[in-house]
Amino acid sequence: MLNAIHHVALICTDYDRSRRFYVELLGLDLIREVYREERQSWKADLRIGSVQLELFSFPAPVTRPSYPEATGLRHLAFAVANLDPVIMRLEAAGVAVEPIRIDPYTDQRFTFFSDPDGLPLELCEVPQGTGRFRHHAGRGLPAPLHWRRLGSKMPPWKQSDFPNS
């Protein structure tokens, strides 16, 4: 019936900042970028592997409440072959990255960080050649640090900290 995830759509508060974050810092490929005059909105189609991420801007988007165990999207997770160089790149750009954890069921390393709008993102270490991706969701692990900052509207890094701004 279903074949794969085609895309995930995100709405950002600062399109240029978020575009730089996902394209320049995280390295997603820019497929296309359009300005939709009728909506006063930018849309970028980004690719990571076989999945697309749609990045939207709107004139005054409403902030969506985020709580550790609220219904809906909990976080967006990216697979990486080695956490260490990715974490070093993020931290060099001023992105706060949580300490690495080890999943007690899969023995895989993982960590969390946030995008410019505070969306929780996860890095899962999946060394090449290890086969199928195994995930830790629902294993009773403590909530990530960024989820414990309820009410905080500031992302863990500032635009001025971002290189090449």
Side-chain angles (χ1 to χ4, degrees):
M1 195 162 127
L2 302 178
N3 295 327
I5 292 176
H6 182 267
H7 71 268
V8 175
L10 304 177
I11 297 172
C12 61
T13 57
D14 182 326
Y15 179 76
D16 291 331
R17 178 181 67 180
S18 292
R19 183 187 181 282
R20 285 193 316 271
F21 181 84
Y22 284 100
V23 174
E24 295 175 20
L25 182 61
L26 297 186
L28 277 65
D29 295 322
L30 180 63
I31 301 169
R32 77 187 58 80
E33 183 174 40
V34 296
Y35 183 72
R36 303 173 314 161
E37 183 68 43
E38 73 282 1
R39 299 182 123 200
Q40 299 177 349
S41 169
W42 280 99
K43 178 184 184 261
D45 293 326
L46 310 173
R47 182 185 347 265
I48 178 165
S50 62
V51 177
Q52 290 184 33
L53 187 129
E54 293 179 341
L55 183 62
F56 291 94
S57 70
F58 292 102
V62 177
T63 302
R64 184 179 309 221
S66 179
Y67 304 99
E69 303 302 332
T71 300
L73 180 66
R74 183 172 180 168
H75 61 264
L76 185 58
F78 298 102
V80 299
N82 184 346
L83 281 176
D84 300 316
V86 180
I87 290 170
M88 287 175 38
R89 179 176 169 86
L90 290 169
E91 289 178 338
V95 177
V97 179
E98 293 185 9
I100 293 173
R101 301 187 211 171
I102 308 289
D103 183 295
Y105 299 98
T106 66
D107 292 325
Q108 287 181 293
R109 299 184 332 147
F110 65 99
T111 189
F112 289 90
F113 64 107
S114 296
D115 86 346
D117 288 302
L119 174 69
L121 302 175
E122 179 180 3
L123 297 174
C124 298
E125 187 173 72
V126 183
Q128 293 187 9
T130 60
R132 191 165 183 254
F133 174 70
R134 297 171 295 167
H135 188 55
H136 68 275
R139 305 284 194 241
L141 299 174
L145 296 175
H146 59 266
W147 290 343
R148 292 183 220 141
R149 286 187 263 122
L150 296 179
S152 171
K153 298 206 185 328
M154 289 300 298
W157 60 280
K158 304 180 297 291
Q159 185 173 355
S160 61
D161 293 332
F162 197 83
N164 305 319
S165 302

